[in-house]
Amino acid sequence: MDSSGSSENVESRVHELNIKEEVMIIGEIKKEEELSVEQIFAKKEVPSWKKQLTIRAFVVSFVLSVMFSFIVMKLNLTVGIIPSLNVSAGLLGFFFVKTWTKLLERSGLLKQPFTRQENTVIQTCVVAASGIAFSGGFGSYLFAMSERVVKQSEKGQDGFEYKNPELGWIIGFLFVVSFLGLFSLVPLRKIMIIDFKLTYPSGTATAHLINSFHTPEGAKLAKKQVRELGKFFTFSFLWSFFQWFFTATDACGFQKFPTLGLKAFDYKFYFDFSATYVGVGMICPHIVNVSVLIGGILSWGIMWPLIETRKGHWYSADLDPDSMQGLKGYKVFIAIALILGDGLYNFTKVLSQTIAGLYNKIQDRKAMHLPVAECSSPIAKTLSYDDQRRTQLFVKDQIPTWLAIGGYVAISAVSTATLPHIFHQLKWYHIIVIYIFAPVLAFCNAFGCGLTDWSLASAYGKLAIFTIGAWAGASHGGVLAGLAACGVMMNIVSTASDLMQDFKTGYMTLASPRSMFVSQVIGTAMGCVISPCVFWIFYKAFPDLGMESSEYPAPFASVYYSMAKLGVEGFSALPKECLKLCYAFFAAAILINIIRDALGKKRSWLIPLPMAMAIPFFLGSYFAIDMCVGSLILFIWQKKNKAGANAFAPAVASGLICGDGIWAMPSSILALAGLKPPICMKFLSRATNNKVDTYLGS
């Protein structure tokens, strides 16, 4: 159900792991044992698809979309790890509309009660809108085209093409590429959801969450969860506000506190008092947090200090620290090798599982229809009451096939004519080839997501970077063409799998496919405007955005630019001995994954995730320490009170993330107004402090 969004981010695999664990934990809310879900709701009338789409639902969706877009954007521009915000969206959507309807009910003005179908519409709309903040590439492929990232990557060299962000073309680009995925798989919804019975774990768990809210026991628990979320939201917001007073420059404040010593601080090992990443650590699986920390220790604790000793041999001692031919090149390209190795392995694994699963489903479907003479209705006998009820309503409101095909063709035509004017390096024939293959790749991704809950949208995006970039060539702007193609492919593939997750959620909450589709379209349209505006606020408020020393370094922008350059120029873009190290880490990523799969689920938790390990290679370990603190809090909580932790930990974590994330809005406004923090809290060594005192005393 998530966009994300996301993801990718950070990469899609870690993002999907976040979604799965977070929503599955909350999905463990107590249910009545005597009756099935649909028997509990049997006496409640299911509103028509038009009545599920209420004005209040979209008003609440818009408010929550703005809020979550700020949160996702901040995460996107800092370290790139985007946890699932499904629980927050579901809880807050339920809370706001429930409060609204209670007030109207007391005044006698309530015309339509709040239903689980309307709750599903809100959930779908918010996740679709905030997901654009991730899939829009503001922290990856789109910002990678900017002059700021290009000049930082090509230090001391001129003549490289770039395209600076502007609000107009970003909104136009998102509008012509973000809707294609919604139309590409609509005709297959019945086959994917009913015939193949794909599980879509995140969509299923989200449906259980929404269903539970609308039972008496679930409603009571939801109120308690909202109360906890509100407490920690307030604490996180006020803590961020307090910290702001001490950050007169980027080198000041609690986030630059050398908690593990000054030498460790130089190598990015410190706790930076970030409520966001403590919350992220509470949501992410323990193995993700530990993997990130292991990656930080391996890179900043061992490898980079060793490579620094080769300064003057492997790379020139006179190079700027930001040069891709120096130490920074090793950081970026070795991280890319890990990401590509992990992505290739999982792409191959999920694709093979998809093909095998598709074959088995087709065979099962054939077998189901063979013994017609012996069994007049094999389907009816095997379906439970819940499935019969859900199937009946799911097939009732059809979305015309002509609308889906016509919509895809029409938007493709508009997009093919428009995109070359936005990116002149991307030719019309590149776009047509992408649109021919996109539905097939979207189907593979959606089917694989239904089986495994892993979206490989970023992997398909990287495939477009290398193929279109190499096709265009260096002399014809291959780098920008590859990055633009990445955006086109990622948006199509990502939104298609998101829509199928939504259809699964709608199927299990009796929400109409039409209302799901309309909600996704409206949410996507909201996101195409909200996300660029939110990004524009960050871009204008923080002039150093994208710089390595910035509060918002946008690390994956440099990574995506380097990937595009590698795809166009080949290995000549790498510094000395870097290729050998890249080969080693690429192979290591594949080997680690093979070992993880060979050990099985029960024992694989001992083996780190290569994708997660790659994240701190470029950024450092400070956020990994925050995340591990969050993981430790959750671990202790689960040991002391497992039921309480399972029920309330995601709400507490969401409060920490949302409070700190929302502070980004007033802090951006203060920066735009020219109001700077009054105090600089800085930490110096004793020797440096003595020199400063001597200088000031003289």
Side-chain angles (χ1 to χ4, degrees), residues 504-515:
K504 183 67 176 184
T505 304
Y507 170 79
M508 296 188 68
T509 58
L510 302 189
S512 168
R514 288 186 183 180
S515 66

Side-chain angles (χ1 to χ4, degrees), residues 153-167:
S153 299
E154 307 292 353
K155 200 71 177 179
Q157 300 180 56
D158 297 318
F160 291 92
E161 288 188 297
Y162 55 82
K163 187 171 183 66
N164 280 323
E166 291 178 9
L167 203 54

Side-chain angles (χ1 to χ4, degrees), residues 617-628:
F617 271 50
F618 181 67
L619 279 173
S621 298
Y622 61 93
F623 69 93
I625 294 171
D626 296 351
M627 290 171 66
C628 284

Side-chain angles (χ1 to χ4, degrees), residues 12 91 93 281 305 340:
S12 293
L91 276 173
L340 292 179

Side-chain angles (χ1 to χ4, degrees), residues 185 191-192 196-200 350-362 440-454 496-497 500:
L185 296 185
I191 294 173
M192 305 280 264
F196 289 166
K197 292 182 173 60
L198 294 174
T199 54
Y200 288 102
V350 173
L351 188 62
S352 62
Q353 289 175 344
T354 299
I355 294 169
L358 181 60
Y359 175 79
N360 291 334
K361 294 290 184 183
I362 292 172
V440 177
L441 299 178
F443 172 78
C444 292
N445 190 52
F447 193 93
C449 193
L451 291 173
T452 66
D453 209 36
W454 286 352
S497 64
M500 283 299 160

Side-chain angles (χ1 to χ4, degrees), residues 637 641-650:
W637 192 356
N641 182 2
K642 188 171 184 179
N646 287 348
F648 295 106

